[in-house]
Amino acid sequence: MALFGNAAFAAAMGLGLSSTAASAATAVDVRLWDQGAGMVMRTGMAYQAPGLDLSKATMGVRASRSSAPAGAVSFEVTNTSKDTVHEMVVMHLKDPAQPLPYVGSDAKVDESKADARGEVPELKPGKSGKLTVTLEPGKYLLICNQPKHFAAGMWAPFEVTR
């Protein structure tokens, strides 16, 4: 009986530690938006595109903050679209001066060649999801990698500080 009591105590302590770690994460609210299915999806607005003018974007990513301290970051992601599926992928930028590897024939970032750190996969319109990931200092992009969405301006810079 004492052995069971110690195991139960250890399990309770483990849950308590896990709960504390989760509550210590920096919270970031992310909204994935677009102007509706009838919009003309502009392209040429991928990260590092020449002559970039995001004011003309018909879809995008808005984060409640553009930076967080290193450690656990919890992204609360909501797809505010009425009719389009979106997702959010956290991409680490090894070299912020370089574009992400983009495959034109797929109209998507090649996640196998990029440094993806986690994602909230395909969210139907009006749905939400959560991702908690441990990030080291550096530059990141929060992107939607549905076909054509990244090139249409669905990305936001995010920095992790020391």
Side-chain angles (χ1 to χ4, degrees):
M1 192 72 152
L3 188 55
F4 174 77
N6 289 340
F9 176 76
M13 290 301 292
L15 287 174
L17 291 174
S18 172
S19 175
T20 302
S23 66
T26 301
V28 181
D29 289 320
V30 178
R31 300 285 182 254
L32 308 174
W33 65 272
D34 62 59
Q35 294 177 352
M39 71 187 160
V40 174
M41 189 185 299
R42 299 177 191 264
T43 57
M45 292 187 234
Y47 176 74
Q48 294 294 16
L52 182 64
D53 182 1
L54 280 180
S55 70
K56 296 178 181 174
T58 54
M59 52 178 50
V61 176
R62 285 191 189 108
S64 62
R65 56 189 302 157
S66 60
S67 67
V73 180
S74 183
F75 296 95
E76 295 276 351
V77 183
T78 302
N79 179 359
T80 65
S81 178
K82 291 183 176 28
D83 44 32
T84 304
V85 171
H86 293 299
E87 67 182 357
M88 190 212 62
V89 184
V90 178
M91 293 284 186
H92 178 243
L93 298 173
K94 293 176 186 174
D95 181 353
Q98 295 299 313
L100 291 174
Y102 191 78
V103 180
S105 60
D106 293 337
K108 295 172 70 169
V109 171
D110 184 344
E111 291 181 38
S112 71
K113 292 182 180 174
D115 192 3
R117 298 299 176 94
E119 74 179 274
V120 175
E122 288 122 8
L123 290 171
K124 292 182 180 179
K127 299 297 181 187
S128 297
K130 183 176 181 177
L131 168 68
T132 301
V133 61
T134 301
L135 299 174
E136 70 272 1
K139 305 277 185 177
Y140 295 80
L141 283 183
L142 309 178
I143 75 167
C144 177
N145 205 25
Q146 293 294 304
K148 300 182 182 176
H149 293 196
F150 176 71
M154 274 199 90
W155 55 270
F158 192 79
E159 183 173 7
V160 176
T161 61
R162 295 198 183 276

